[in-house]
Amino acid sequence: ARSDIFALGAVLHEMVTGRRAFAGDSAPAVASAILASEPAPLAASPSLDRLVRTCLAKQPERRWQSAHDVALQLADVMDRDAPAHQSTRRGARTLLPWIVAAAAIVVAVAALAWNTKPSDPAAPAAADRLVFPIPPPDGTSFFFGAELNGVAISPDGSKIAFLAGSPRQPGIWLRPLSSPKPVMIAGTDGATGMFWSPGSEALAFFAGGKLKRVDIAGGAPVHICEARETVGQFGTWAQDGTILFASVEGQAIMRVSKSGGTPEPLLVPDAAARQRRIVWPSFLPDGKRFLFMAGRTDNTDVIMLGSVDGTPSRELLQVKSNAQYSAGHIVYMQDGALLKHPFDLVTGTLTGEPIAIGDRVFHFMATGLAQFSVSSNGVVAYQSHRDESAILMFDRTGKTSTLRPTGGFQFLRLTPDGGRLIFDRLDARTLMLDVAMLDLARGTETRLTTGRATEFGGTMAPDGSLFFSVSHGGPPRLHRRAAGTTTDEPLQKIDLLMQLGPDVSRDGTWVVFSQRAPRGPFDIYAMSLEDRRVIPFRTSDAEESNARFSPDGRFVVYQSDESGHSEVYLAPFPGPGVTHVVSSGGGSVPRWSVDGREIFYIGAEGQLTAVSVTLSPAVEIGAPAVLFAAPSRFPWMDFDVTPDGRFVASVPTKLARDQPLTVILNAIR
């Protein structure tokens, strides 16, 4: 009945003005206008304007109680306004006929309202779901990943904020759902995550190692506190100005005021409850209790209910996902579906059964983060796409052949003999990565890892042992599997930060790898495989990664952004010695030719580039020469060089960041 009253108000408005109350070029645009805009006033009749606006109130309880009430009010408008307009011929020809026609419609609608009681099964149902896409702004891509959220719906459901731009310089864009055009919020360059104020008038965001806030009406961002750089952070904001945030590594949930100050730990992992990381805090409407995910030492994860007043946290549900509250439900990811689960705010307990509201939501199982956001009134936004790639072989002219046409391939590495390819494959069922191996001569594929963990970045040592990164829910650490066994052992039995990208020297004595530093960026370390001694190779404030031994083991090539952008460098191993710049104008993913006479890398524009190099008796580096441009606008994810000088690469065919977000109105009710 309340929906009928709203529709009646829209019809009355159009009858009087000749224009729609809420205009748009499509159904989603009209729905957005209804959510966030107000119709033009009916200047000819203030009393009729009040009547229509009451019909069109956003909250159903603020509309007229029945169509019968509208009929009575409209009759009163006719009695008061018609005589005044009859004094002019123009008024009598314009407003009065429309009012009389409207009154006839009201009589019919009033009769319908009286004959359709609220308890009648035939009564109008709640508004249906409306699903529509939001593409990235022209010339940009969305920015999100395994560690950071890239989309946030305002609590009132009228606006969506998202990260977009280039991978090196994202910013926060704002789009009211009533408008097709997003705008970038000034001063948010470099943002890596954001969350709304409870009143939907401001955003807090992480950028440059700081937490800041900005009013969406305008003004420069304001510093709140320091926050660790280059690590995914996730936050939430309560009505009293309390902000909670945590890093993806989950050492603690921190508390700070929106006014600023030094953040202090509110909650740390509970060893007695076997917790090793706590992440993804999200306030409930009371601003005291909050949801968060706890990863446990037995590799299970649970959604927990915590409180800022010190009340002991308790488990709600065993699931590996961030969770948010909306309209009497908790929303989370499980088994590939986005679910809404009825939740009693008074008792703080789940009730009933979960119902799916979306599928194929971008969900990275290693961290538990799903790319979705919900408003307090049931609007949902999420990213429903994943990266897709192919494994291709290239000769030096760029001519290609296909080894694997499509899938979730990422890092890859040829075995020392060059006859097999080790690569990562995404399991579509579990959304986890496993290490697989392809026999290039026979075309047969073998899975090397299985189970409820994410395993990736494999490389084989000369003795046949396999080195790769493993995540059971926390930061991935390097493991080693001896040849002919299925037992994996961590290289270091201490609690380290993320370890990636191993490379083993040809004599099998050293492994070099990237490790995230406590301050945020990656550094490069090496470990002796004889005595497990670890030495730093490149540690600085810059981001250093992708280290590869030269064939003779005397040098290491790597990438670093110490100059302000990524370049390729060559340095003696283990050092000391002179460091040489290999690339020019930008470079990443350096790789050696089998004979050690060339270094290949991906240029700033995605082009495969070769540089001749002499290592003895002195280092000499030639000029970079572009071999060929990338076959698409997508840069290679990884590549390696075959013994005969060809290149095998994982090439993206579709990137999730270029695909539209999905928005659902009335998803939760």
Side-chain angles (χ1 to χ4, degrees):
R2 297 292 178 84
S3 297
D4 283 342
I5 291 170
F6 183 92
L8 175 61
V11 171
L12 288 171
H13 186 280
E14 186 169 353
M15 291 173 71
V16 173
T17 65
R19 298 184 301 274
R20 291 184 180 184
F22 304 99
D25 296 331
S26 63
V30 173
S32 298
I34 290 172
L35 282 175
S37 67
E38 297 293 340
L42 306 181
S45 173
S47 54
L48 182 61
D49 183 64
R50 287 192 296 272
L51 183 150
V52 171
R53 287 186 180 279
T54 304
C55 289
L56 298 176
K58 306 296 186 190
Q59 294 77 26
E61 64 273 10
R62 300 187 64 181
R63 298 174 197 155
W64 298 110
Q65 297 299 299
S66 69
H68 178 68
D69 291 343
V70 181
L72 295 176
Q73 293 293 326
L74 188 52
D76 184 60
V77 171
M78 291 172 63
D79 290 341
R80 287 186 287 108
D81 286 7
H85 286 284
Q86 287 172 354
S87 62
T88 66
R89 296 173 65 93
R90 185 169 182 268
R93 291 174 179 171
T94 53
L95 183 61
L96 183 57
W98 299 119
I99 294 179
V100 173
I105 293 177
V106 169
V107 171
V109 175
L112 175 64
W114 281 113
N115 290 304
T116 309
K117 298 180 176 60
S119 59
D120 190 333
D128 289 336
R129 287 168 36 122
L130 178 64
V131 183
F132 60 94
I134 291 183
D138 292 343
T140 74
S141 297
F142 288 124
F143 185 76
F144 58 86
E147 296 189 351
L148 55 93
N149 68 308
V151 57
I153 285 281
S154 62
D156 64 8
S158 67
K159 300 173 283 290
I160 181 171
F162 52 82
L163 296 176
S166 69
R168 291 190 173 277
Q169 197 64 19
I172 299 177
W173 292 71
L174 181 69
R175 174 178 162 171
L177 295 186
S178 61
S179 170
K181 294 293 184 181
V183 295
M184 185 174 175
I185 300 177
T188 63
D189 302 72
T192 58
M194 70 278 172
F195 51 97
W196 285 92
S197 66
S200 304
E201 77 285 352
L203 280 161
F205 65 96
F206 301 97
K210 303 180 186 300
L211 175 61
K212 305 177 182 180
R213 61 181 171 87
V214 61
D215 292 332
I216 62 172
V222 177
H223 174 82
I224 296 177
C225 67
E226 299 296 312
R228 186 175 164 200
E229 191 172 4
T230 73
V231 175
Q233 306 272 8
F234 194 94
T236 184
W237 188 337
Q239 291 90 334
D240 66 357
T242 298
I243 287 176
L244 303 181
F245 67 94
S247 78
V248 67
E249 289 160 348
Q251 300 96 331
I253 292 177
M254 309 298 291
R255 173 166 58 183
V256 70
S257 168
K258 70 173 184 179
S259 302
T262 301
E264 297 179 349
L266 170 68
L267 204 62
V268 297
D270 184 352
R274 298 173 292 126
Q275 295 176 359
R276 65 180 176 188
R277 62 190 284 257
I278 51 176
V279 290
W280 322 133
S282 180
F283 271 118
L284 294 180
D286 59 16
K288 301 298 181 184
R289 296 172 297 170
F290 59 93
L291 306 169
F292 66 97
M293 191 193 85
R296 300 190 294 201
T297 55
D298 62 357
N299 300 324
T300 61
D301 300 82
V302 292
I303 294 175
M304 303 287 295
L305 181 64
S307 177
V308 297
D309 63 8
T311 301
S313 302
R314 56 186 176 86
E315 179 179 337
L316 293 178
L317 182 70
Q318 184 171 317
V319 66
K320 192 182 188 68
S321 173
N322 48 316
Q324 297 178 39
Y325 175 86
S326 175
H329 296 76
I330 287 179
V331 182
Y332 56 87
M333 275 290 296
Q334 188 173 35
D335 297 328
L338 187 64
L339 305 176
K340 63 176 183 179
H341 201 143
F343 181 76
D344 189 322
L345 271 178
V346 176
T347 62
T349 57
L350 291 165
T351 62
E353 296 296 326
I355 299 174
I357 56 176
D359 61 0
R360 293 180 55 82
V361 177
F362 190 104
H363 185 209
F364 195 76
M365 288 293 290
T367 61
L369 180 62
Q371 293 294 331
F372 74 90
S373 178
V374 299
S375 71
S376 59
N377 56 1
V379 182
V380 175
Y382 61 87
Q383 177 55 262
S384 60
H385 300 272
R386 301 192 66 87
D387 294 342
E388 296 179 11
S389 55
I391 298 179
L392 306 177
M393 186 77 79
F394 297 81
D395 66 15
R396 290 183 74 98
T397 68
K399 183 179 179 180
T400 67
S401 58
T402 301
L403 300 181
R404 284 293 182 267
T406 187
F409 311 120
Q410 294 191 21
F411 304 104
L412 52 78
R413 189 70 187 275
L414 289 162
T415 55
D417 62 7
R420 292 162 294 170
L421 179 69
I422 298 172
F423 61 94
D424 305 332
R425 177 183 280 280
L426 180 70
D427 188 312
R429 181 178 57 85
T430 65
L431 300 180
M432 291 184 175
L433 292 170
D434 287 310
V435 180
M437 184 165 64
L438 175 67
D439 187 305
L440 296 179
R442 300 174 58 218
T444 56
E445 181 179 324
T446 305
R447 283 183 64 174
L448 301 181
T449 65
T450 59
R452 299 293 295 180
T454 288
E455 295 127 337
F456 62 96
T459 187
M460 186 171 286
D463 65 359
S465 58
L466 185 68
F467 293 81
F468 55 98
S469 296
V470 179
S471 170
H472 291 285
R477 284 81 182 260
L478 285 183
H479 284 59
R480 178 181 181 271
R481 178 184 296 181
T485 73
T486 58
T487 303
D488 307 329
E489 60 166 336
L491 286 187
Q492 294 174 284
K493 296 182 179 180
I494 56 176
D495 189 24
L496 290 174
L497 303 178
M498 186 180 296
Q499 297 176 323
L500 306 171
D503 186 52
V504 183
S505 60
R506 285 201 181 175
D507 62 7
T509 60
W510 287 92
V511 58
V512 65
F513 57 92
S514 302
Q515 179 175 298
R516 177 174 277 163
R519 66 186 177 279
F522 279 95
D523 292 325
I524 299 174
Y525 290 83
M527 173 186 285
S528 168
L529 295 178
E530 297 176 348
D531 57 13
R532 301 295 176 96
R533 174 172 51 95
V534 177
I535 62 171
F537 178 70
R538 285 295 181 271
T539 59
S540 70
D541 291 334
E543 185 92 8
E544 294 139 337
S545 62
N546 254 316
R548 291 292 183 267
F549 283 109
S550 60
D552 62 10
R554 297 171 48 238
F555 291 86
V556 166
V557 66
Y558 64 96
Q559 70 184 63
S560 171
D561 63 2
E562 64 181 72
S563 67
H565 59 274
S566 181
E567 295 283 6
V568 174
Y569 296 86
L570 175 70
F573 180 82
V578 177
T579 298
H580 302 268
V581 182
V582 176
S583 59
S584 177
S588 61
V589 197
R591 300 291 183 261
W592 292 91
S593 63
V594 173
D595 59 12
R597 296 179 179 179
E598 284 185 293
I599 295 172
F600 305 97
Y601 65 87
I602 303 299
E605 302 300 324
Q607 67 275 30
L608 181 64
T609 306
V611 175
S612 62
V613 58
T614 300
L615 301 178
S616 181
V619 174
E620 295 182 11
I621 298 175
V626 174
L627 298 183
F628 55 86
S632 73
R633 67 187 183 90
F634 302 134
W636 291 4
M637 302 179 73
D638 198 8
F639 78 99
D640 206 354
V641 186
T642 66
D644 61 1
R646 293 179 296 162
F647 311 96
V648 58
S650 56
V651 180
T653 55
K654 184 174 76 173
L655 295 180
R657 65 175 183 255
D658 290 330
Q659 307 307 309
L661 300 173
T662 297
V663 178
I664 308 177
L665 309 183
N666 303 311
I668 305 168
R669 53 182 183 233

